Amino acid sequence: MSAFKATAIAHPNIAFIKYWGNRDENLRIPANGSISMNLAGLFTRTSVTFSPELNTDALVLNGKPADPAALRRVSRFLDFIRGFAKTGWHAEVVSENNFPIGTGLASSAAAFAALSQAATAALGLTLTEQELSRIARLGSGSACRSIPEGFVEWQAGTCHEDSFAFSIAPATHWDLVDCIAVVSSGHKSTGSTEGHSLANTSPLQPARVADAPRRLEKVRRAILEREFATFAEVVEQDSTIMHAVMMTSTPPLFYWQPVSLEIMQKVSQWRAEGIPCCYTLDAGPNVHVISMSSSAPEVTSRLNSIPGVKQVLQATPGGPAQLVEG
């Protein structure tokens, strides 16, 4: 092994066509493909140090020792990488985010993408982007989408080998801005991993999955052709369908807050007024308002005027996960 420590950064991503529910829970093979955009300016920075002197793995998140559940999840993930590299060494993982975690802003996607990049590099493994994407998927499904750059599609596949993400357009392809209305920075009561396991309890999930290829095709084409009207229509529909599945699962998951719904209604009104913007929500109450860059200042100003919006983060299309100086 040529190195024992490495540091990487990765961006969270916002899904335009959502990932919700798994065909295989252990391998995180999704029920349907998805399309997303990496978010520049928001990132997780993770350093991994493997050492024969460590008796156990250690995890520090944002300057504090992680809780046991988070450490177990990271250790299980590192076990896979250790097996791949044929080593038994434990690791110290130090990870920091510059955005709220556990609130539906894809913190686990950025975290496991950065961890995949740093841990494999620390052990001297040289992997292709496709191989890294597959590995990241094992830690957090959407993490596979934070490995490539820009606008990314996750091919659902049927097994570990053919379930990975790839870039369909570079970050410079379309000047979109994600104006993220943060209405809650607290941890959600039901995390995404648990939520995915409930998807099949909803009677609406089969219909959502069956229609996914149509939505994927429309959004993929809209991105490639930079056609905002179709993009907005399908992105909003896909978000609402996913939340309908969540609300009708057993037990039901209600991530929307009253202010979330108010923002969605206002965004629809703004678009009717001629402002190119649309909304989408991941598994949390915060609302991602996607707009053309020329309209982002106006959208941000309007979002800030809504009572209950704590702050508005702005992110343009972001690059790939990458190694940085520790």
Side-chain angles (χ1 to χ4, degrees):
M1 294 179 291
S2 59
F4 308 124
K5 180 180 180 180
T7 302
I9 63 168
H11 303 290
N13 61 74
I14 178 62
F16 301 141
I17 300 298
K18 306 294 189 185
Y19 155 50
W20 195 250
N22 289 312
R23 181 181 301 185
D24 184 315
E25 294 284 351
N26 292 325
L27 293 177
R28 300 181 194 268
I29 307 296
N32 61 275
S34 54
I35 291 177
S36 63
M37 179 181 87
N38 286 353
L39 301 178
L42 308 182
F43 62 86
T44 298
R45 179 189 180 96
T46 300
S47 294
V48 180
T49 305
F50 284 94
S51 171
E53 298 176 3
L54 292 172
N55 296 320
T56 61
D57 293 323
L59 175 61
V60 178
L61 289 177
N62 295 318
K64 299 178 181 178
D67 63 66
L71 176 58
R72 281 194 301 272
R73 184 175 177 182
V74 166
S75 284
R76 282 197 302 269
F77 180 69
L78 290 174
D79 283 343
F80 174 81
I81 295 177
R82 279 187 279 258
F84 198 64
K86 297 180 172 56
T87 181
W89 288 6
H90 290 99
E92 180 186 45
V93 178
V94 179
S95 189
E96 294 183 349
N97 299 278
N98 73 339
F99 59 95
I101 65 172
T103 58
L105 292 181
S107 56
S108 64
F112 279 96
L115 180 58
S116 301
Q117 185 79 268
T120 54
L123 291 174
L125 300 172
T126 303
L127 303 179
T128 65
E129 183 178 89
Q130 189 180 116
E131 289 170 329
L132 269 175
S133 179
R134 289 200 296 256
I135 287 174
R137 190 198 73 239
L138 298 174
S140 170
S142 55
C144 77
R145 297 193 309 242
S146 284
I147 296 292
E149 80 154 314
F151 298 86
V152 175
E153 180 164 353
W154 177 7
Q155 172 180 290
T158 58
C159 62
H160 178 63
E161 285 70 28
D162 64 4
S163 185
F164 57 87
F166 51 91
S167 177
I168 59 173
T172 56
H173 171 71
W174 199 6
D175 58 346
L176 298 183
V177 178
D178 184 2
C179 304
I180 309 163
V182 179
V183 303
S184 172
S185 55
H187 271 265
K188 53 198 179 188
S189 57
T190 303
S192 296
T193 297
E194 182 183 349
H196 284 295
S197 67
L198 300 176
N200 286 331
T201 67
S202 167
L204 304 184
Q205 175 73 345
R208 189 192 77 86
V209 172
D211 186 59
R214 179 192 67 86
R215 300 192 306 279
L216 281 163
E217 171 60 24
K218 292 192 76 169
V219 164
R220 185 190 305 115
R221 184 177 301 164
I223 290 171
L224 294 178
E225 297 177 358
R226 294 186 283 266
E227 206 283 288
F228 196 87
T230 301
F231 173 82
E233 174 190 339
V234 183
V235 165
E236 288 187 353
Q237 182 186 61
D238 190 87
S239 174
T240 304
I241 291 172
M242 180 183 73
H243 282 271
V245 168
M246 294 169 170
M247 294 177 194
T248 53
S249 65
T250 304
L253 303 175
F254 295 98
Y255 286 116
W256 291 352
Q257 294 181 4
V259 65
S260 309
L261 187 57
E262 181 182 355
I263 293 167
M264 287 186 270
Q265 292 171 327
K266 286 187 179 298
V267 168
S268 296
Q269 293 170 11
W270 300 342
R271 192 165 66 253
E273 294 169 10
I275 298 175
C277 61
C278 64
Y279 64 78
T280 184
L281 293 84
D282 280 344
N286 299 316
V287 185
H288 296 253
V289 182
I290 313 299
S291 75
M292 299 297 296
S293 61
S294 57
S295 303
E298 175 67 17
V299 169
T300 298
S301 175
R302 293 188 181 204
L303 289 172
N304 274 317
S305 72
I306 299 174
V309 174
K310 297 183 177 182
Q311 64 174 318
V312 179
L313 305 173
Q314 280 195 6
T316 54
Q322 57 189 319
L323 294 171
V324 295
E325 290 296 319

